[in-house]
């Protein structure tokens, strides 16, 4: 079929019949073009509007950044952030939001919810927040119940007809440091989500700088507080002036409406106040049934956010008309490892911020008060007999007379003869000689009556007590009563004890020694017992006992037990630099060691505790010589000279194959028995090696001791800074610095001494094995920490949650780095944590709250 052809006319115009159709097509095309232009204009206008809206949001974001950077308080910073997120959903009644800050070394996150003013520790497992934290992915859903990872105990609670979104915030290194969850009626715009995620590095850095600024302020406040009490150990000040210094110091840490120091009268089961009784009425309360007493009974800091709602609150005791809302109760003179009862409780009521507005006590406040309380405890314990006197005087004298006498140096004899004593039996006799002249430099007078009753600690006066374990003993998991029984057993061991030793006198001696060890982080009774136990094991397990005479052996044990008695928690360097009374008394030479020796024999002047009373004058002089020289021999200034002397003694036998072959008195060891001075040198060696013996135990125990000494070093650094002295321990919060210090101590200080000792006493070779394992652990940690970011000494790789024995930074610049297996014990995790304790470094891992190291799970040294 042929196609139809329409021929054009001669003029070239189309036929008339087709003209209308062609015009219609032009109109249609023109309309389409116009519509396309309109659509394009509409789209362009929409894009312009969107861009303007985005620009406005970016301007809001810039203002947010300025507001964040202007904040120096982390709580205010989080409030600003929450206000920004809430502004993304105006007038949305279904809007909810929460932020989870990662604590990456542990199984916990800090959940912060706005308006509730709460910070809750939640696990990092089995939740949407945990999933986002581990993967970095964004989760969005309308029905939370359909998400397998949803955990109602952790994640936000679902809201009807609301959209859920969860996303991570990254720090400058690309790691998730926080997870944000939000619920709203409408979905979060992708641009808003992108803006929030872009805020991550800025928010992380702002928080880190705020933490550093806060750490500096906390350090300054703590140092100012310590500065008020560093001179309070002087006996020239009255006890009330001392208490006033303590209260002023506490107000430098936090400003409160009321600060009161309550002393504890355990025989009467009462609390009483030195600071207020002569001004108003004699404040004296029963310990039971109040928050104040709960702090004393639990020996733990109690931080109350709303006191009246606490079940332990007693308005008559805990309020006293002050309108108590927030309260902090700090026990003074406690040490959980020694099960020591506190001697006082510091009560702080209603904390005020810089604007004089009520605020809550934080975890940082608790840390600062812990260091402060450690120093106050030493001073109060040294002045305990004065406080006993004032307590007695408050009972027996009128209020006005008590006020007059309490503020001046008093005539104790007149006070006790004017009215019978009603405090304790024979207390007047005890106190009549308890004060010493204000010109005296010795802070510890002798007692003329027995120490406090022993019936609660020693169930029987029989010497039939449990056999003392050898090197398997873990002092951190052993009850105090058992340790005291072991001490009695060691001193009464027939191989060690002096003849005709009265067990009751031994018990009294042990008790008074324990009473004169202060609750320092390291130099406490637990350390004294550990050195005694190590010395005992050396004597029992080696041939050293065959060289030494009975006075040598017994003197060795007494010196080991008392070698750090009345230790103030400072080093000799601090005593000399601060020009303390002890440094002046002992002419800057082995200041603390000479004080320990002098304190030991001052206590032995009491006939009820004098375990040397059965010796003849010549025997007593020799025993005293052994004990004094052994205690002074623990002075680290003599350490390398001591090693050199041991090397010289070994040199003649260095080429001998085995000088101790089945010979109980081998030629090398027998050289120590040639004279009294040789035997005393061996005793010095045993006590000194035992004093440094923490690192020859298994790693879990060695690391625990490392944590304790690091804490004491941090306290000394605070004191040195407060007094303007050279700081001997810098960067206490830096884990690498801490591990390097411990490695140097173990490898360069402890190992040479124990290597020399094992030459003479080869049965101690297993101790060297433990020491070498501990040194290897420190070396491994140093390698791990040096691989981390050079930009931050506190920057760490993210290990497993239960990484045993890894070093982690301190919570603040003032608190020491630690080995994480001992950070917290089971059940000790605070439900209310501050930002500084949870986000000490957002670019890295934070605190470890797992106490999983085998054998010492139930012990905590800090917190």
């Amino acid at each position: 079929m042929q196609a139809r052809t329409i021929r054009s006319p001669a003029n070239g115009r189309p036929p008339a019949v087709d003209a209308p159709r062609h015009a219609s097509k032009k109109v249609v095309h023109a309309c389409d073009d116009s519509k396309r232009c309109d659509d394009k204009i509409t789209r362009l206008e929409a894009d312009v509007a969107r861009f303007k809206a985005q620009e406005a949001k970016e301007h809001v974001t810039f203002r947010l950044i300025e507001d964040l950077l202007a904040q120096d308080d982390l709580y205010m910073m989080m409030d600003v952030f929450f206000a920004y997120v809430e502004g993304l959903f105006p007038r949305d009644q279904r809007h909810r939001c929460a932020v989870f800050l990662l604590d990456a070394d542990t199984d916990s996150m800090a959940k912060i919810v706005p308006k509730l003013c709460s910070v809750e520790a939640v696990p990092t497992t089995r939740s949407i927040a945990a999933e986002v934290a581990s993967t970095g992915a964004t989760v969005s859903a309308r029905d939370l119940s359909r998400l397998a990872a949803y955990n109602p105990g952790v994640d936000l609670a679902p809201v009807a007809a609301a959209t859920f979104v969860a996303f991570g915030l990254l720090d400058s290194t690309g790691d998730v440091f926080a997870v944000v969850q939000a619920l709203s009626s409408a979905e979060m715009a992708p641009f808003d989500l992108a803006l929030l995620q872009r805020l991550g590095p800025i928010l992380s850095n702002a928080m880190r700088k705020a933490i550093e600024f806060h750490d500096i302020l906390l350090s300054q406040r703590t140092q100012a507080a310590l500065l008020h009490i560093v001179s309070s150990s002087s006996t020239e000040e009255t006890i009330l002036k001392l208490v006033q210094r303590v209260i002023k110091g506490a107000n430098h840490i936090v400003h409160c409406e009321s600060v009161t120091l309550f002393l504890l009268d355990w025989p009467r089961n009462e609390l009483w106040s030195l600071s207020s009784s002569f001004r108003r009425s004699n404040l004296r309360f029963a310990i039971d049934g109040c928050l104040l007493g709960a702090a004393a009974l639990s020996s733990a800091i109690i931080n109350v956010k709303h006191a009246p709602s606490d079940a332990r609150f007693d308005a008559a005791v805990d309020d006293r008309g002050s309108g108590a809302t927030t309260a902090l109760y700090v026990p003074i003179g406690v040490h959980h490892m020694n099960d020591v009862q506190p001697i006082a409780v510091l009560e702080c009521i209603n904390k005020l911020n810089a604007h004089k507005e009520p605020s809550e006590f934080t975890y940082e406040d608790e840390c600062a008060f812990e260091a402060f309380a450690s120093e106050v405890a030493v001073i109060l314990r040294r002045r305990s007999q004065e406080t006993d006197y004032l307590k007695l005087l408050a009972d027996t004298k009128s209020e006005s007379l008590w006020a007059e006498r309490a503020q001046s140096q008093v005539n104790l004899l007149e006070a006790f003869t004017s009215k019978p004593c009603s405090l304790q039996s024979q207390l007047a006799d005890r106190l009549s000689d308890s004060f010493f002249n204000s010109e005296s430099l010795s802070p510890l007078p002798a007692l003329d009556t027995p120490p406090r009753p022993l019936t609660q600690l020693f169930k029987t006066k029989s010497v039939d007590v449990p056999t003392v374990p050898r090197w398997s003993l873990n002092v951190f998991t052993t009850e105090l009563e058992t340790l005291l029984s072991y001490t009695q057993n060691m001193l009464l061991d027939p191989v060690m004890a002096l003849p005709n030793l009265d067990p009751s006198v031994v018990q009294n001696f042990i008790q008074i020694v324990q009473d004169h060890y202060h609750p320092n982080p390291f130099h406490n009774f637990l350390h004294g017992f550990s050195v005694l136990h190590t010395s005992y094991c050396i004597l029992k397990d080696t041939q050293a006992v065959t060289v030494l005479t009975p006075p040598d052996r017994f003197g060795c044990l007494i010196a080991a037990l008392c070698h750090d008695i009345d230790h103030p928690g400072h080093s000799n360097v601090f005593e000399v630099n601060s020009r303390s009374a002890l440094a002046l008394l002992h002419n800057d030479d082995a200041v603390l060691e000479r004080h320990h020796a002098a304190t030991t024999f001052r206590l032995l002047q009491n006939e009820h505790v004098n375990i040397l009373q059965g010796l003849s004058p010549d025997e007593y002089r020799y025993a005293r010589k052994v004990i004094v020289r052994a205690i002074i021999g623990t002075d680290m200034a003599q350490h390398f000279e001591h090693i050199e002397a041991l090397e010289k003694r070994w040199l003649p036998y260095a080429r001998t194959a085995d000088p101790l072959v089945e010979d109980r008195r081998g030629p090398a060891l027998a050289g120590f028995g040639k004279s009294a001075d040789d035997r005393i040198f061996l005793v010095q060696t045993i006590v000194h090696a035992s004093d440094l013996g923490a690192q020859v135990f298994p790693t879990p125990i060695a690391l625990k001791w490392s944590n304790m000494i690091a804490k004491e070093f941090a306290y000394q650094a605070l004191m040195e800074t407060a007094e303007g002295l050279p700081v001997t321990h810098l960067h206490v919060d830096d884990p690498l610095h801490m591990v390097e210090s411990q490695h140097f101590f173990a490898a360069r200080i402890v190992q040479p001494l124990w290597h020399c000792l094992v030459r003479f006493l080869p049965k101690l070779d297993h101790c060297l094995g433990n020491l070498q394992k501990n040194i290897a652990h420190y070396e491994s940690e140093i390698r791990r920490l040096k691989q981390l970011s050079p930009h931050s000494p506190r920057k760490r790789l993210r290990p497993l949650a239960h990484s045993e024995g890894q070093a982690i930074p301190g919570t603040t610049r003032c608190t020491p780095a630690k080995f994480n297996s001992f950070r917290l014990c089971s059940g000790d995790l605070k439900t209310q944590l501050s930002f500084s304790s949870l986000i000490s470094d957002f670019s890295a891992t934070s605190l470890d709250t797992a106490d999983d190291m085998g054998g010492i799970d139930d012990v905590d040294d800090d917190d």
Side-chain angles (χ1 to χ4, degrees):
M1 183 177 180
Q2 294 181 352
R4 180 181 178 184
T5 302
I6 301 178
R7 297 183 180 275
S8 299
N11 58 8
R13 296 179 180 176
V17 68
D18 294 331
R21 182 182 302 173
H22 186 69
S24 176
K25 288 182 178 179
K26 284 186 176 182
V27 172
V28 170
H29 286 305
C31 291
D32 290 341
D33 292 341
S34 177
K35 185 177 181 180
R36 283 195 296 270
C37 289
D38 291 341
D39 291 342
K40 189 173 183 179
I41 291 172
T42 301
R43 290 195 300 271
L44 288 174
E45 289 176 346
D47 289 341
V48 170
R50 186 175 68 256
F51 291 147
K52 287 183 177 180
Q54 292 177 352
E55 183 181 18
K57 289 183 178 180
E58 287 181 342
H59 284 301
V60 173
T61 305
F62 292 146
R63 289 196 296 270
L64 168 66
I65 293 173
E66 292 177 354
D67 291 341
L68 289 174
L69 296 177
Q71 304 300 324
D72 55 17
D73 182 87
L74 288 170
Y75 290 99
M76 294 297 296
M77 192 176 295
M78 293 305 300
D79 288 342
V80 171
F81 179 78
F82 282 127
Y84 172 80
V85 176
E86 186 176 355
L88 299 177
F89 307 98
R91 296 181 297 278
D92 190 345
Q93 299 298 323
R94 295 186 177 89
H95 172 66
R96 303 287 187 275
C97 186
V99 172
F100 299 81
L101 300 177
L102 266 64
D103 192 3
D105 270 345
T106 70
D107 292 333
S108 66
M109 298 180 289
K111 179 181 179 181
I112 304 104
V113 179
K115 299 181 181 179
L116 296 181
C117 299
S118 66
V119 181
E120 178 186 2
V122 296
T124 56
T125 55
R126 301 182 303 278
S127 67
I128 298 176
E131 182 179 283
V132 174
S134 61
T135 64
T138 300
V139 176
S140 180
R142 296 286 296 181
D143 187 356
L144 284 175
S145 61
R146 294 186 178 181
L147 297 177
Y150 177 67
N151 184 345
V154 176
D155 300 308
L156 284 176
V159 177
T163 299
F164 172 85
V165 63
F167 56 91
L169 295 179
L170 307 182
D171 59 23
S172 56
T173 63
D175 294 330
V176 177
F177 77 93
V179 174
V180 180
Q181 290 187 356
L183 280 165
S184 60
S185 300
E187 293 186 7
M188 180 177 290
F191 183 78
D192 294 337
L193 179 59
L195 274 181
L196 284 172
Q197 291 178 324
R198 285 166 56 189
L199 278 175
I202 300 173
L203 182 62
S204 171
N205 291 330
M207 286 184 169
R208 188 185 305 111
K209 290 180 179 178
I211 292 169
E212 293 175 353
F213 176 74
H214 182 82
D215 287 349
I216 293 172
L217 291 181
L218 179 64
S219 174
Q220 291 175 344
R221 287 188 288 135
T222 308
Q223 291 159 10
L226 294 173
L227 193 58
H228 271 79
I229 64 170
V230 290
S231 61
S232 297
S233 57
S234 169
T235 59
E236 297 178 359
E237 280 197 330
T238 64
I239 188 68
L240 285 184
K241 288 183 179 179
L242 185 153
V243 173
Q244 291 168 7
R245 282 181 177 270
V246 171
I247 292 175
K248 288 181 179 179
N251 271 304
H252 276 277
I253 298 178
V254 292
H255 184 58
C256 304
E257 290 184 356
S258 172
V259 178
T260 308
L261 181 67
F262 285 89
L263 300 183
L264 285 156
D265 187 349
W266 288 106
R268 288 188 171 188
N269 205 40
E270 288 181 340
L271 294 132
W272 64 287
S273 172
L274 268 175
S275 60
S276 302
S277 54
F278 70 90
R279 294 172 184 168
R280 294 195 295 264
S281 60
N282 191 358
L283 295 182
R284 195 178 279 271
F285 305 112
I287 293 179
D288 300 319
C290 60
L291 280 167
L292 190 61
L297 293 172
S298 64
S299 297
I301 294 176
I302 295 180
N303 188 347
V304 183
K305 308 303 178 186
H306 188 261
S309 63
D310 194 288
R312 299 164 292 182
F313 179 76
D314 183 348
V317 178
D318 300 315
D319 191 292
R320 305 191 301 279
S322 61
T325 303
T326 60
L328 187 70
Y329 301 94
V330 183
I332 293 174
V334 300
H335 198 286
H336 299 289
M337 295 176 190
N338 293 359
D339 196 25
V340 176
Q341 290 179 319
I343 59 177
V345 176
L346 188 65
E347 176 196 63
C348 303
I349 300 295
N350 293 342
K351 176 183 176 181
L352 302 176
N353 61 20
H355 304 291
K356 305 297 182 182
E357 298 171 347
S359 62
E360 297 178 353
F361 292 95
T362 65
Y363 178 69
E364 294 92 337
D365 296 333
E366 297 179 31
C367 292
F369 272 110
E370 182 184 11
F372 182 68
S374 178
E375 301 299 332
V376 174
V378 175
I379 297 172
L380 287 181
R381 285 170 65 89
R382 287 181 170 177
R383 308 288 290 272
S384 62
Q385 293 166 348
E386 295 175 64
T387 57
D388 284 345
Y389 160 69
L390 292 180
K391 184 165 47 179
L392 174 65
L393 194 59
D395 290 338
T396 59
K397 295 287 184 180
S398 67
E399 195 72 18
S400 59
L401 180 58
W402 190 85
E404 178 184 351
R405 296 294 180 85
Q407 297 184 81
S408 61
Q409 300 291 350
V410 295
N411 185 330
L412 288 178
L413 185 59
E414 183 275 331
F416 283 110
T417 56
S418 60
K419 193 166 185 177
C421 172
S422 61
L423 181 62
Q424 292 181 10
S425 62
Q426 296 182 327
L427 185 57
D429 292 336
R430 173 178 177 178
L431 293 178
S432 61
D433 293 326
S434 64
F435 275 101
F436 43 94
N437 190 285
S438 62
E439 297 177 358
S440 170
L441 294 174
S442 176
L444 284 175
L447 301 178
D448 291 330
T449 58
R452 59 187 174 91
L454 306 167
T455 54
Q456 294 181 354
L457 296 173
F458 290 98
K459 303 301 182 183
T460 173
K461 288 186 178 294
S462 169
V463 297
D464 186 18
V465 293
T467 302
V468 180
R470 293 291 195 272
W471 300 97
S472 62
L473 176 63
N474 187 337
V475 296
F476 297 112
T477 56
T478 307
E479 295 292 334
L480 175 63
E481 179 183 332
T482 304
L483 295 180
L484 293 172
S485 297
Y486 288 159
T487 304
Q488 180 185 7
N489 192 321
M490 287 184 279
L491 295 182
L492 291 174
D493 188 312
V495 179
M496 307 293 173
L498 296 174
N500 303 321
L501 198 56
D502 186 350
S504 64
V505 175
V506 173
Q507 291 178 353
N508 291 342
F509 173 75
I510 295 171
Q511 187 60 74
I512 202 170
V513 168
Q514 189 216 355
D515 286 344
H516 282 78
Y517 266 99
H518 303 304
N520 300 312
F522 182 87
H523 290 101
N524 49 57
F525 178 75
L526 197 64
H527 171 64
F529 171 86
S530 180
V531 176
L532 165 68
H533 174 256
T534 304
S535 299
Y536 177 80
C537 291
I538 292 174
L539 293 176
K540 293 289 286 186
D541 294 351
T542 69
Q543 301 301 320
V545 70
T546 63
V547 178
L548 302 176
T549 64
D552 295 322
R553 303 168 199 163
F554 192 69
C556 178
L557 298 186
I558 298 302
L561 178 61
C562 301
H563 80 285
D564 274 332
I565 194 169
D566 196 45
H567 197 291
H570 312 141
S571 67
N572 281 332
V573 173
F574 178 88
E575 297 293 333
V576 172
N577 289 343
S578 63
R579 303 178 184 179
S580 68
L582 287 178
L584 294 174
L585 179 65
H586 299 296
N587 299 313
D588 296 348
D589 181 24
V591 175
L592 291 177
E593 288 74 23
R594 294 182 185 278
H595 174 65
H596 303 322
T599 301
T600 301
F601 280 91
R602 185 179 296 112
L603 296 176
L604 289 177
Q605 292 177 0
N606 184 346
E607 62 179 359
H608 299 280
V609 300
N610 186 5
I611 53 179
L612 304 178
Q613 60 187 346
L615 299 178
S616 67
D618 289 341
E619 291 172 333
Y620 175 83
R621 281 192 293 271
Y622 179 74
R624 172 173 161 79
K625 184 178 180 180
V626 172
I627 296 170
V628 170
R629 288 178 60 176
I631 293 178
I632 295 179
T634 61
D635 180 15
M636 289 302 299
Q638 305 176 15
H639 176 74
F640 292 104
E641 292 180 6
H642 200 115
I643 294 176
E644 184 179 356
L646 285 172
E647 293 280 4
K648 289 181 179 179
R649 285 179 176 271
W650 178 254
L651 190 59
Y653 311 99
R655 295 184 177 86
T656 306
D658 188 358
L660 298 175
V661 177
E662 300 300 328
D663 184 1
R664 296 176 65 244
R665 296 174 61 92
L669 184 61
F672 288 105
K674 294 179 179 179
S675 67
D677 287 339
D678 291 323
R679 295 195 307 272
I680 292 176
F681 181 76
L682 178 58
V683 172
Q684 287 179 307
T685 303
I686 293 173
V687 175
H688 184 42
S690 301
D691 188 24
L692 305 182
Q695 297 298 316
V696 304
F697 282 87
T699 301
I701 298 177
L703 297 187
K704 184 66 176 178
W705 286 116
S706 297
N707 284 351
M708 294 164 68
I709 192 62
K711 191 172 188 178
E712 193 162 296
F713 287 163
Y715 285 177
Q716 177 169 324
L718 280 172
M719 293 290 291
E720 288 168 332
T721 306
E723 289 203 70
L725 303 175
V727 180
T728 52
H729 304 285
L730 299 170
H731 311 297
V732 295
D733 65 325
D734 184 356
L736 178 59
H737 186 275
M738 185 271 290
V739 178
E740 287 177 336
S741 298
Q742 289 300 316
H743 176 264
F744 178 85
F745 176 74
R748 302 294 182 88
I749 304 297
V750 180
Q751 185 169 247
L753 176 63
W754 273 83
H755 181 72
C756 290
L757 183 62
V758 170
R759 285 175 174 172
F760 295 96
L761 305 173
K763 290 186 178 181
L764 300 178
D765 186 63
H766 63 93
C767 295
L768 271 185
N770 287 333
L771 177 59
Q772 290 163 358
K773 290 179 181 177
N774 294 331
I775 292 173
H777 177 80
Y778 296 138
E779 291 173 345
S780 174
E781 275 297 278
I782 291 172
R783 288 193 297 269
R784 181 184 71 86
L785 293 168
K786 283 186 175 181
Q787 293 174 356
L788 308 182
S789 170
H791 302 294
S792 172
R794 303 173 70 182
K795 169 79 176 174
R796 292 156 294 147
L797 294 176
R798 187 167 298 163
L800 297 176
H802 295 284
S803 49
E804 192 172 84
Q806 283 194 348
I808 56 176
T811 57
T812 69
R813 288 174 180 250
C814 303
T815 52
K818 294 186 178 183
F819 292 100
N820 62 7
S821 296
F822 311 104
R823 165 105 13 209
L824 293 174
C825 344
S826 176
D828 195 30
L829 183 62
K830 299 180 182 296
T831 58
Q832 186 81 10
L833 297 176
S834 69
F835 290 103
S836 184
S837 65
L838 291 168
I839 50 177
S840 58
D841 189 348
F842 285 105
S843 302
T845 326
S846 272
L847 304 182
D848 178 78
T849 53
D851 205 352
D852 53 86
M853 180 95 43
I856 47 180
D857 299 333
D858 300 330
V859 184
D860 177 41
D861 65 298
D862 30 277
D863 321 315

